Amino acid sequence: MWVWEANNPRGVLVIVHGANEHHGRYKWLIEQWYAEGFNVVIGDLPGQGETTKKERGHIDSFDEYITVIEEWIKKAESYQVPIFILGHSMGGLAVIRTLQEKELPITGVLLSSPCLGLVNPPSIFLDILTKGINIFIPRLRINSGVSVDNATRSEMVRDEGLRDPLYNKYVSIRWYRELAGAMIQASKEVNKFPNLPLLVLQGGDDKIVDKTAVKQWFNHVTSNEKTYKEYPHLYHEVFNEPEKEEVFTYALSFVKALL
């Protein structure tokens, strides 16, 4: 866990990164929130980034993410200021599942391209096959099929990703099965999502997450205050796109309105 502490903070942002990546890819976003007077709490999820070297891309249970996110929120509580949580992609899914399972003191929720469905899911045959392999060889690692090239249009971010030793392309069969189960559960238990102000930021040309699944989930959320904002030409990583300043300004306005 890493923490950036502002002078006289207005609030605290807990940031949850996506699959294959790590907290270091959020340096620009952290700096923006910090400059606006917010503390930032962020870390690497289990099996990703600096949390492991041997089994990167593997978890035994999706609940491992929920446990860690709850720990980050407890750290945020210590500042005694409004708490906001921002989850990207799989991190967005993990935030959804955490809030469905835990009652936590959150002021507002921001999700960027939350992983509630995949643009290119495995075929029915492969999906069934992974269920069998998950029983006998759960740690078998496969190429996720996701690369930084289809995550953002920014050449600079793409180049950095290609050189990044912590950017992981391989995941275990168990990891995939846990992800698939969490996506199903997030939609099945949408009514358990708390009545919190919610902002969903979605890339309209997302090549990783199925934006239709995101919209369907959003439409069934019963929050009294919710906003879905789609950027037509943006790829998956809306905070890494050339238009990232515009996206951040919109996210900041959502947070400011709640303070």
Side-chain angles (χ1 to χ4, degrees):
M1 182 193 308
W2 290 265
V3 177
W4 282 257
E5 297 180 343
N7 293 324
N8 300 314
R10 308 162 66 180
V12 55
L13 256 292
V14 177
I15 300 179
V16 186
H17 68 76
N20 303 326
E21 54 170 358
H22 57 94
H23 82 282
R25 299 188 71 242
Y26 289 73
K27 182 177 182 294
W28 179 85
L29 187 58
I30 291 168
E31 290 173 346
Q32 301 311 302
W33 288 113
Y34 180 78
E36 291 291 338
F38 291 86
N39 289 351
V40 178
V41 176
I42 191 172
D44 290 342
L45 291 171
Q48 300 195 60
E50 297 181 12
T51 63
T52 183
K53 293 182 180 179
K54 293 183 179 179
E55 289 192 306
R56 192 166 287 144
H58 173 76
I59 52 172
D60 292 316
S61 168
F62 204 85
D63 287 348
E64 293 176 41
Y65 295 151
I66 295 175
T67 298
V68 169
I69 292 171
E70 187 176 16
E71 291 174 0
W72 296 348
I73 293 172
K74 286 181 179 178
K75 174 61 180 177
E77 278 188 81
S78 68
Y79 296 111
Q80 298 183 331
V81 293
I83 301 171
F84 300 87
I85 188 163
L86 189 164
H88 170 67
S89 192
M90 186 207 69
L93 173 62
V95 166
I96 291 169
R97 290 293 302 123
T98 299
L99 296 178
Q100 286 176 330
E101 297 297 326
K102 307 288 183 177
E103 187 173 338
L104 298 167
I106 303 296
T107 299
V109 182
L110 300 87
L111 305 174
S112 67
S113 305
C115 187
L116 292 158
L118 301 173
V119 171
N120 295 305
S123 66
I124 295 175
F125 171 75
L126 284 176
D127 189 61
I128 294 172
L129 183 62
T130 60
K131 291 179 181 178
I133 296 174
N134 185 41
I135 297 172
F136 301 104
I137 323 175
R139 284 177 164 77
L140 177 66
R141 287 157 58 81
I142 57 174
N143 193 314
S144 68
V146 176
S147 73
V148 70
D149 287 334
N150 54 20
T152 175
R153 292 149 48 235
S154 169
E155 292 294 338
M156 182 180 72
V157 176
R158 287 179 175 181
D159 290 343
E160 289 175 351
L162 293 173
R163 297 192 304 269
D164 187 349
L166 295 180
Y167 193 91
N168 180 49
K169 294 181 180 179
Y170 294 90
V171 296
S172 69
I173 294 293
R174 173 63 54 82
W175 180 89
Y176 169 70
R177 291 310 325 166
E178 290 297 307
L179 175 75
M183 288 191 292
I184 292 171
Q185 204 163 5
S187 294
K188 183 182 295 185
E189 299 184 3
V190 64
N191 62 313
K192 289 178 63 177
F193 191 80
N195 184 13
L196 291 171
L198 170 67
L199 172 63
V200 175
L201 301 165
Q202 178 61 49
D205 197 14
D206 196 325
K207 301 185 184 305
I208 297 173
V209 161
D210 180 5
K211 68 178 183 181
T212 301
V214 175
K215 287 180 181 177
Q216 289 176 345
W217 179 85
F218 175 84
N219 289 337
H220 285 91
V221 169
T222 56
S223 294
N224 292 335
E225 185 177 348
K226 63 178 185 177
T227 302
Y228 176 90
K229 174 69 171 176
E230 184 173 313
Y231 295 88
H233 305 297
L234 271 61
Y235 281 16
H236 182 60
E237 295 183 352
V238 294
F239 286 110
N240 273 335
E241 286 286 75
E243 299 85 354
K244 62 186 180 182
E245 292 186 6
E246 175 188 347
V247 178
F248 173 74
T249 298
Y250 194 92
L252 178 63
S253 66
F254 168 79
V255 170
K256 281 184 174 179
L258 297 174
L259 291 175

